[in-house]
């Protein structure tokens, strides 16, 4: 077939293979492999313990690298093994394509072109086929599930993807084999992109076509249990991202730029409105002064996400509750609570006055009340000050010299 040599050379130059995981797809497997062979013979087939006629079908493709696993272990575990096998064979990248016939082999050129256009020295790429889930013919459950996954991917990484669940992907093998991956079924593909993004690998979508042939297509996705596993995985990722990944990344960015450069580039010159900038700062101040110790980082990112304001700015100003200021914040909160509860300003604050469990709870309630009032009042005042400051600076930028 004309053009085979061209694609073969491109695959070889990029040290890229096509990886086909399969499990009981006897009705579509042969045609999928024949379509791929029209573009390249650098194919690695992973038979995940199929119990149908898959083994006999693969005997007709003995010129390809075929790996038969005795027991079905799940797509994730097989891909994990496949990444190791492919790297041992000398490949640096692998394009994974499902064997149920939903993907078009001619879209392989989309992944090759993106990889070829990557400039030398750029970050590694992990590409995911974007199936345009809003188009006609896409099952509603698939579209809804993808929207759900894409939203939580945004929450835990800070990046937007239109399609997070497509199995048509290009993986950087060295990166994948260096990451600890624990899941074993369909949630594996979520785990790979989240952890790759956390490692600052460039993860993005590329447009592909998709065919949902309900007559011949065999899907092993179990809606209830697979969605449960994906949900549990995202719950874990939310905890890790809010308590470790996001704070680490923001701190690294701020430390790299320094306060002056950060303030100038990320705050003063951002395209956000004065109200949005002031809100981000106010959110940080509110959280930093609030009595929710231990979950400040989580809370500030949730509020910033809900209010759609700059998470970096909010996180930075939430650090008003650093150790040198904590005694002052606690003291002011307790005193404000005392005033509000009609007890006036207590200059003594002697521990001897706490003589019972009731006193402890009353004192705690007094502190929490005062803390919330301090947080709300201060954040409002801060918003007003910075709103007018940013408004003035914005007008100044538009004034011609």
């Amino acid at each position: 077939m004309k053009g085979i040599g061209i694609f073969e050379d491109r695959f070889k130059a990029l040290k890229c293979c096509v990886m086909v995981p399969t499990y009981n797809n006897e009705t579509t497997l042969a045609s999928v492999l024949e379509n791929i062979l029209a573009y390249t013979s650098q194919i690695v087939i992973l038979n995940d313990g199929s119990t149908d006629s898959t083994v006999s079908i693969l005997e007709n493709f003995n010129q390809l690298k075929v790996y038969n696993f005795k027991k079905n272990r799940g797509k994730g575990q097989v891909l994990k093994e496949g990444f190791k096998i492919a790297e041992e064979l000398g490949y640096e990248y692998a394009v994974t394509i499902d064997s149920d016939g939903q993907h078009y082999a001619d879209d392989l050129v989309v992944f090759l072109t993106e990889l070829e256009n990557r400039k030398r020295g750029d970050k590694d790429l992990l590409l995911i086929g974007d199936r345009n889930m809003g188009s006609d013919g896409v099952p509603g459950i698939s579209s809804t599930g993808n929207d759900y996954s894409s939203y939580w991917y945004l929450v835990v990484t800070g990046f937007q993807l239109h399609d997070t669940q497509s199995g048509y992907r290009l993986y950087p093998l060295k990166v994948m084999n260096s990451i600890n991956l624990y899941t074993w079924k369909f949630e594996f593909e979520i785990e790979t992109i989240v952890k790759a993004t956390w490692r600052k690998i460039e993860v993005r979508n590329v447009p592909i076509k998709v065919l949902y042939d309900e007559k011949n297509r065999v899907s092993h996705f179990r809606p209830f249990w697979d969605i449960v596993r994906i949900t549990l995985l995202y719950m874990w990722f939310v905890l890790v991202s809010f308590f470790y990944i996001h704070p680490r990344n923001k701190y690294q960015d701020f430390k790299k730029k320094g306060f002056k450069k950060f303030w100038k580039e990320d705050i003063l010159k951002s395209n956000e409105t004065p109200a949005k900038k002031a809100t981000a700062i106010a959110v940080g101040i509110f959280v930093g002064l609030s009595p929710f110790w231990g979950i400040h980082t989580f809370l500030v990112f949730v509020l910033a996400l809900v209010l759609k304001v700059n998470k970096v700015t909010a996180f930075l100003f939430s650090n008003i509750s650093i150790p040198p200021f904590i005694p002052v914040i606690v003291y002011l909160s307790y005193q404000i609570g005392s005033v509000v509860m009609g007890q006036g300003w207590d200059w003594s604050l002697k521990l001897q006055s706490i003589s019972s469990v009731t006193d402890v709870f009353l004192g705690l309630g007094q502190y929490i009340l005062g803390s919330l009032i301090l947080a709300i009042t201060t954040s409002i005042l801060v918003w007003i000050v910075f709103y007018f400051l940013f408004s003035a600076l914005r007008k100044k930028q538009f004034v011609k010299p």
Side-chain angles (χ1 to χ4, degrees):
M1 181 181 289
K2 186 176 179 181
I4 291 179
I6 296 175
F7 283 95
E8 191 75 15
D9 289 342
R10 292 172 72 182
F11 273 96
K12 287 182 178 179
L14 294 169
K15 296 183 179 181
C16 181
C17 68
V18 178
M19 187 174 293
V20 186
T22 186
Y23 174 64
N24 288 351
N25 285 124
E26 61 183 2
T27 58
T28 54
L29 178 58
S31 61
V32 168
L33 294 176
E34 289 167 0
N35 289 335
I36 299 172
L37 277 168
Y39 298 95
T40 182
S41 62
Q42 296 193 175
I43 305 173
V44 176
I45 305 168
L46 308 169
N47 174 22
D48 186 20
S50 297
T51 57
D52 58 3
S53 60
T54 292
V55 173
S56 60
I57 292 172
L58 292 177
E59 289 175 353
N60 299 320
F61 296 91
N62 54 17
Q63 78 274 31
L64 305 179
K65 297 288 185 181
V66 179
Y67 297 86
N68 293 298
F69 299 93
K70 293 182 179 181
K71 294 182 179 180
N72 176 252
R73 296 187 294 174
K75 186 178 183 181
Q77 286 298 303
V78 168
L79 282 177
K80 189 176 177 179
E81 288 295 321
F83 294 155
K84 294 177 183 177
I85 290 169
E87 189 172 17
E88 289 172 358
L89 291 172
Y91 296 115
E92 295 181 359
Y93 295 91
V95 178
T96 59
I97 184 170
D98 293 339
S99 61
D100 59 3
Q102 70 167 294
H103 300 144
Y104 289 83
D106 61 354
D107 279 329
L108 287 168
V109 69
V110 175
F111 294 93
L112 290 179
T113 301
E114 289 293 323
L115 192 55
E116 288 168 337
N117 291 338
R118 185 175 66 94
K119 295 180 181 179
R120 186 183 298 275
D122 280 0
K123 293 188 294 185
D124 264 313
L125 283 177
L126 195 163
L127 303 174
I128 306 172
D130 183 353
R131 296 167 292 177
N132 188 14
M133 300 300 288
S135 60
D136 294 336
V138 177
I141 189 171
S142 297
S143 179
T144 301
N146 186 70
D147 290 342
Y148 168 83
S149 177
S150 297
Y151 171 78
W152 285 108
Y153 173 82
L154 172 63
V155 170
V156 301
T157 67
F159 292 91
Q160 178 75 59
L161 288 175
H162 295 111
D163 193 340
T164 59
Q165 295 183 303
S166 171
Y168 209 169
R169 304 178 173 204
L170 181 141
Y171 286 102
L173 293 172
K174 188 175 181 180
V175 172
M176 289 298 102
N177 288 328
S178 68
I179 296 176
N180 292 323
L181 301 167
Y182 301 104
T183 53
W184 61 91
K185 291 187 178 292
F186 290 99
E187 69 274 15
F188 175 85
E189 291 173 316
I190 300 296
E191 184 183 13
T192 59
I193 61 174
V194 170
K195 289 187 174 180
T197 305
W198 284 352
R199 287 203 174 195
K200 300 188 178 180
I201 303 301
E202 183 179 1
V203 179
R204 55 184 167 89
N205 287 130
V206 291
I208 61 167
K209 301 179 291 295
V210 66
L211 172 66
Y212 285 98
D213 183 356
E214 298 301 330
K215 182 179 179 180
N216 295 314
R217 178 173 178 257
V218 177
S219 174
H220 302 291
F221 185 85
R222 296 180 298 172
F224 178 76
W225 288 112
D226 288 318
I227 289 174
V228 167
R229 280 198 296 270
I230 289 172
T231 300
L232 291 174
L233 180 64
Y234 269 125
M235 288 173 64
W236 170 247
F237 280 158
V238 166
L239 292 174
V240 175
S241 64
F242 282 116
F243 287 103
Y244 176 67
I245 299 297
H246 285 321
R248 179 202 66 184
N249 291 345
K250 302 316 175 187
Y251 175 75
Q252 288 176 348
D253 291 341
F254 176 69
K255 187 176 179 181
K256 182 178 179 180
K257 290 185 176 182
F259 181 83
K260 185 176 181 180
K261 187 176 182 181
F262 172 83
W263 179 263
K264 184 177 179 181
E265 294 182 359
D266 292 64
I267 300 180
L268 292 183
K269 289 190 176 182
S270 84
N271 293 323
E272 293 178 327
T273 64
K276 282 280 187 180
K277 293 179 184 179
T279 301
I281 295 174
V283 164
I285 294 295
F286 170 79
V287 172
L289 296 177
S290 73
F292 308 113
W293 300 98
I295 61 169
H296 279 176
T297 300
F298 174 79
L299 186 60
V300 75
F301 280 109
V302 169
L303 289 176
L305 187 68
V306 170
L307 296 173
K308 297 181 180 180
V309 296
N310 192 306
K311 293 185 288 294
V312 180
T313 305
F315 173 74
L316 175 65
F317 281 88
S318 71
N319 284 283
I320 189 174
S321 56
I322 56 177
F325 297 148
I326 290 176
V328 177
I329 294 172
V330 172
Y331 176 80
L332 288 175
S333 298
Y334 189 83
Q335 294 287 16
I336 291 172
S338 178
V339 172
V340 172
M341 294 175 71
Q343 300 173 10
W345 195 278
D346 183 6
W347 293 101
S348 59
L349 282 181
K350 294 179 180 180
L351 292 177
Q352 292 88 334
S353 62
I354 302 176
S355 58
S356 67
V357 175
T358 303
D359 291 336
V360 172
F361 279 105
L362 288 174
L364 181 61
Q366 179 178 312
Y367 159 71
I368 292 175
L369 176 62
S371 180
L372 289 172
I373 293 173
L374 176 65
I376 293 170
T377 305
T378 306
S379 60
I380 291 173
L381 292 174
V382 164
W383 187 90
I384 294 172
V385 170
F386 279 97
Y387 172 75
F388 284 107
L389 174 63
F390 289 134
S391 297
L393 291 173
R394 193 178 192 183
K395 290 180 180 178
K396 188 176 180 180
Q397 291 177 354
F398 289 103
V399 175
K400 296 182 179 180

